[in-house]
Amino acid sequence: MSASAVIAGREFRSFFRLPVGWVVIALYAALTGVVFAAGTLQPGGVATMRDFFALSAWLMLPVTPAISMRLFAEEARSGTLESLATSPVSDAQVVLGKYLGALAFLVAVLVPTLAFVATLWAVADPRPEVGPIVAGYLSLVLLGGLYLAVGTLASALTSNQTLAFLLTFFFLVALLLASGTRLDFVPDWAQRAFYAVSIQRRVAEFAKGIVGLGDTVFFISGAACFLALAWGALESRRWR
Amino acid sequence: MIKAAGIAKSFGRVRAVRGVSFTVEPGQVAGLLGPNGAGKSTTIRIITGFLPADAGIVEVAGFDMRRASLEARRHLGYLPEAAPLYPEMSVVGFLRYRAKLFGIAPRDRARAIGAAMERCRVEAVRTRRIGHLSRGYRQRVGLAAALLHDPPVLVLDEPTSALDPSQVVETRELIRDLGRTRTVLVSSHVLGEVERLCSRALIIAGGALLADGTPAELVRRHGGPARYVVEARDEGRRAEPALRAVMGVAAVREERAEGQWRRLAVEAGTDAPDLREPMAAALAGAGVAVRELSPRHASLEDVFLRLLRAADPAREHAA
């Protein structure tokens, strides 16, 4: 078993041994439950979860930083980073392992929302289309993966979990606002740049059932960039 | 084997380690001694690969820590100070995780974990959460994790700091036993611990290595002139002049007086031979009754303080 898989496994299981893991699961289930009940489950409405998935970019905002904040910050605070960094494991394997563990936990957080799909499936006539739902869940994993990569970087930069949470949260809020709102005071080239990294636009495409290669590559490459920066931040700890 | 050759490390303007060199061979337990801020932890962190040195070379079991870092770390067992562990994990779960991390084959894992737990006496708490253990048990779990992959080189930072006296004795015995076939480097503030445990002491201060040798060698080399204690019935105060008249005696000082008995501290001059016999003869000649005449051996603590004062004269004034 590779070192990254070992670290990912430990990380994934640790979320279920800590209160923060269960709070995240409950928080996300509650938030998505409200959106589903108020927005999707409408008598006489069209059986679609498009709005539910389109709102996911915002719903994940408080959840993903809560998952990623402890990845490195807690290891640095408690001193376990020293044991980990002196094990026969490269820093890149450590970053990848921790990220994959957090991503696996995010998938576990999404599992309870399948109850909403089952409910819609049971009560709607005609039944909802399967394609957009699968694409919607794919978008949640890709989006969550990008958010977690940002959070992994923030956690590698500090030994304070609260600070890691806030750095991630406000960065993502700024990114969503800048890329999803028309800002008249910024020059055209900046507006085009913000549009190019727009997250809501891409999630909306997925919610329609359109799995675009460009959008998929955007999320994966974005996550890879932030993970590379997290690796750099971890390496830089040795030189500080 | 651990080889450190000219290692140096600075943090900004602070030079934490300045050209430290030493080699610890297999079968040796070496103690790294130094006051707070001496550069002990930085040295340990450079040796274990946690920090890179600005200059110099570190080799662990023959592997260069910079060029073959993963291979060097694979041959190293490290117990950091305060034994940091994951509190949410069980003891056996943590050891299983470490065994996987060090690439111990699945068929050998249970045996390796069992052996490490038995050596460090943590079987009784194998299913307990680490966060619920006493500090002493946590320290022993950390030691078990360091021994898990049977490394030829062990670096232990304050390995007995949280243990009760009986556990300290057991752990010392374990480290001594491990040191028969392995290279062991122990960092400690406790001088007595190094004296009892280590076949070699490395004294570090101000980021520089001040002395390196067996405790006996260091005492001989840096312990200063020989000292003696004399306890004599000396109503006429004849003992002090009689002792001063002995060839080789440099100084005589009264330590305390109890009724007619006086306790005197005698300091020999540099290179003086054993003075017990001429002192006994001089006291007998002066008609002084003696109930004790014994050499006072310098301890590693005396050597340590003497070296620190020599390295930093400000300490002399503070002391």
Side-chain angles (χ1 to χ4, degrees), chain A residues 97-118:
Chain A
K98 289 203 158 271
Y99 172 75
L100 291 176
L103 189 62
F105 180 70
L106 182 76
V107 171
V109 169
L110 294 176
V111 167
T113 65
L114 292 174
F116 308 144
V117 179

Side-chain angles (χ1 to χ4, degrees), chain A residues 9-238:
Chain A
R10 195 209 77 79
E11 207 62 51
F12 176 71
R13 282 187 289 275
S14 78
F15 283 111
F16 293 99
R17 296 189 186 114
L18 294 165
V20 67
W22 294 105
V23 169
V24 165
I25 290 173
L27 179 68
Y28 192 72
L31 284 172
T32 50
V34 169
V35 169
F36 179 73
T40 306
L41 207 58
Q42 295 297 320
V46 182
T48 173
M49 291 183 75
R50 186 183 292 189
D51 293 340
F52 172 84
F53 290 123
L55 272 169
S56 61
W58 293 99
L59 292 179
M60 282 215 175
L61 273 181
V63 168
T64 44
I67 296 173
S68 61
M69 65 182 184
R70 59 185 299 279
L71 291 178
F72 286 103
E74 177 58 18
E75 296 254 11
R77 189 201 59 78
S78 67
T80 47
L81 191 61
E82 195 166 342
S83 299
L84 191 56
T86 53
S87 307
V89 186
S90 71
D91 285 351
Q93 285 176 308
V94 173
V95 170
L96 186 64
K98 289 203 158 271
Y99 172 75
L100 291 176
L103 189 62
F105 180 70
L106 182 76
V107 171
V109 169
L110 294 176
V111 167
T113 65
L114 292 174
F116 308 144
V117 179
T119 306
L120 195 64
W121 193 267
V123 300
D125 188 19
R127 284 181 169 159
E129 286 181 66
V130 175
I133 293 175
V134 172
Y137 272 104
L138 180 62
S139 77
L140 289 187
V141 173
L142 288 170
L143 176 74
L146 176 62
Y147 286 4
L148 285 176
V150 173
T152 304
L153 169 61
S155 188
L157 288 171
T158 174
S159 55
N160 184 319
Q161 288 192 48
T162 311
L163 191 58
F165 179 94
L166 293 173
L167 277 173
T168 312
F169 183 78
F170 285 110
F171 177 83
L172 293 176
V173 168
L175 184 66
L176 285 172
L177 285 176
S179 63
T181 318
R182 183 171 171 75
L183 304 169
D184 292 331
F185 59 88
V186 298
D188 278 352
W189 65 265
Q191 292 215 19
R192 280 198 297 278
F194 284 140
Y195 182 76
V197 296
S198 171
I199 287 171
Q200 293 100 313
R201 178 171 61 84
R202 295 171 198 281
V203 172
E205 291 296 302
F206 276 97
K208 288 179 206 163
I210 303 165
V211 180
L213 181 65
D215 296 334
T216 307
V217 169
F218 168 82
F219 284 117
I220 293 173
S221 58
C225 284
F226 282 104
L227 290 180
L229 290 172
W231 172 69
L234 196 63
E235 285 273 301
S236 77
R237 270 182 193 275
R238 296 174 186 268

Side-chain angles (χ1 to χ4, degrees), chain B residues 133-145:
Chain B
L133 298 179
S134 67
R135 230 189 120 197
Y137 263 123
R138 285 208 294 270
Q139 188 132 17
R140 286 192 278 164
V141 171
L143 189 57

Side-chain angles (χ1 to χ4, degrees), chain A residues 1 3 6-7 10 13-14 17-18 70 75 78-90 93 237-240, chain B residues 9 11 44-45 48-54 66 70 73-74 76 78 80 84-86 88-89 97-98 100-102 129:
Chain A
M1 192 187 277
V6 173
I7 293 167
R10 195 209 77 79
R13 282 187 289 275
S14 78
R17 296 189 186 114
L18 294 165
R70 59 185 299 279
E75 296 254 11
S78 67
T80 47
L81 191 61
E82 195 166 342
S83 299
L84 191 56
T86 53
S87 307
V89 186
S90 71
Q93 285 176 308
R237 270 182 193 275
R238 296 174 186 268
W239 303 94
R240 277 183 250 164
Chain B
K9 179 80 184 171
F11 299 102
I44 291 255
R45 285 174 166 182
T48 56
F50 185 62
L51 289 175
D54 297 340
R66 194 180 284 262
L70 292 185
R73 287 188 249 165
R74 212 180 298 284
L76 177 76
Y78 176 37
L85 307 166
Y86 299 105
E88 75 278 6
M89 294 182 89
Y97 163 68
R98 295 288 296 181
K100 288 178 189 171
L101 212 55
F102 276 83
R129 269 193 181 205

